[in-house]
Amino acid sequence: MNHHRRRFVAGFLAVPVTLYTVYVLSPCAQALVIALTDWRGVNAVPRFVGVDNFRRLLGDEVFLRAAGHNLLLLALVPPLTIGLALLFAWLLTGDGTARRTVRGAGLYRVVFFFPQVLAVVLVAVLFRQILRPDGNGMLNAPLTALGFAPVGPLADTDLALWAVLFVLVWQAVGFYVVLFSAGIASIPRELFEAAAIDGAGGGRLFLRITLPLLRDTVQAGWVYLGVAALDVFAVVWVMTAEHGGPDHSTTVMAAEVYRNAFHYSRFGYACAMGVVLFVITTGFAVLVLRLTRRERIEFR
């Protein structure tokens, strides 16, 4: 019986494992090999250079700046998005005792979730038009009509990255509002009622019951948002001036990978950047999962 079961499982997994190996593991391995060469394109003959590309990265001011931007987004996007989503979900779902909710909570959830159904490129184009620095943007048109000087966060080297941060949080928070609302609604009402009888208020109910029972969901969301913050290619490339400007003030590692590969034909160097990005992303995911690991809480 066990032999037949293993054969069934092996046969069931053969196709997906093969596809994953061909389309995921194989390109990753090829990228690592190319990162050790100076390959410059399809017709060029690659020359093995060892770790020279990685040494160059240590002195590449633009790449180091891009890595710093990614790390800043990594530090801010997950906590801001999850914090806002938890707050909105708690307000819309109630405290679990009287199930007090905002009137029209279902409509609010739809409104919150709406940005999630928009393509990332569409969101970037939308905010590029909203935040355009001249008087024709959706932000500056009313300001100009009222006699105020137009503002241009995307044209300001000190504000452009914060505009990107705002867009990332704006698009992502709605999905987690819906996700956390469903999680809160699935928690047995008896747990909240028992704690309320013992004198726990709304804040304590959230901190002692709601948040611990949502920990696994929050953990997964933190990893996903962290990976998104380390990627963030489409928003930066479409939304910002000079595809990461002005003056490289919003560039990120993924943008530099694309720029070096397809603008400068430095494919070996671009693959080295990609390998560094892969290592950072994987390390972040492993670190979060290990730091937040605990025994699973089950309730009936």
Side-chain angles (χ1 to χ4, degrees):
M1 180 64 70
N2 290 333
H3 176 67
H4 291 295
R5 182 179 302 171
R6 284 195 293 269
R7 289 181 59 187
F8 172 78
V9 172
F12 185 80
L13 292 177
V15 174
V17 169
T18 300
L19 292 175
Y20 185 81
T21 301
V22 172
Y23 292 107
V24 178
L25 297 182
S26 176
C28 289
Q30 292 178 49
L32 178 58
V33 173
I34 295 173
L36 302 176
T37 70
D38 64 349
W39 188 47
R40 297 188 63 86
V42 176
N43 296 324
V45 178
R47 180 173 60 90
F48 181 78
V49 296
V51 296
D52 285 354
N53 287 328
F54 295 97
R55 290 197 188 101
R56 285 178 59 190
L57 290 177
L58 297 177
D60 190 333
E61 182 180 348
V62 175
F63 178 76
L64 294 178
R65 193 173 182 183
H69 296 158
N70 273 120
L71 294 178
L72 177 63
L73 294 175
L74 178 63
L76 295 178
V77 170
L80 288 176
T81 303
I82 290 177
L84 289 172
L86 284 171
L87 174 62
F88 293 146
W90 183 60
L91 293 174
L92 293 175
T93 308
D95 60 9
T97 54
R99 293 295 184 192
R100 295 189 296 270
T101 60
V102 176
R103 186 174 181 180
L107 176 61
Y108 284 119
R109 291 192 187 96
V110 172
V111 173
F112 276 124
F113 190 79
F114 180 72
Q116 193 67 32
V117 305
L118 300 176
V120 177
V121 173
L122 180 59
V123 171
V125 172
L126 174 66
F127 275 93
R128 186 178 65 186
Q129 295 302 317
I130 292 175
L131 300 176
R132 57 188 296 177
D134 57 29
N136 297 322
M138 293 180 63
L139 175 63
N140 283 320
L143 292 178
T144 304
L146 294 174
F148 294 100
V151 296
L154 293 179
D156 189 327
T157 56
D158 295 326
L159 298 178
L161 188 63
W162 298 104
V164 172
L165 171 66
F166 172 80
V167 172
L168 294 175
V169 174
W170 177 86
Q171 187 196 26
V173 70
F175 173 80
Y176 292 96
V177 169
V178 175
L179 183 65
F180 294 151
S181 295
I184 294 172
S186 68
I187 299 174
R189 184 172 179 176
E190 292 77 12
L191 296 177
F192 293 103
E193 291 176 342
I197 291 174
D198 290 337
R204 188 173 293 274
L205 289 174
F206 177 79
L207 294 175
R208 298 296 185 180
I209 297 179
T210 303
L211 193 56
L213 292 178
L214 289 178
R215 181 164 179 166
D216 290 340
T217 306
V218 172
Q219 179 195 60
W222 205 287
V223 172
Y224 178 81
L225 288 166
V227 172
L230 288 170
D231 179 14
V232 68
F233 169 77
V235 172
V236 168
W237 197 260
V238 175
M239 178 178 162
T240 62
E242 304 167 7
H243 308 302
D247 192 24
H248 303 294
S249 61
T250 59
T251 190
V252 291
M253 287 186 283
E256 292 308 311
V257 171
Y258 184 91
R259 198 189 317 274
N260 278 273
F262 299 105
H263 285 190
Y264 308 140
S265 296
R266 298 194 294 231
F267 290 95
Y269 192 50
C271 284
M273 293 181 178
V275 170
V276 172
L277 178 57
F278 172 79
V279 171
I280 294 176
T281 303
T282 305
F284 165 77
V286 171
L287 180 63
V288 171
L289 292 175
R290 288 188 65 85
L291 290 178
T292 57
R293 184 174 57 185
R294 62 163 190 174
E295 293 185 3
R296 185 180 181 86
I297 298 178
E298 296 184 359
F299 51 88
R300 299 177 182 273

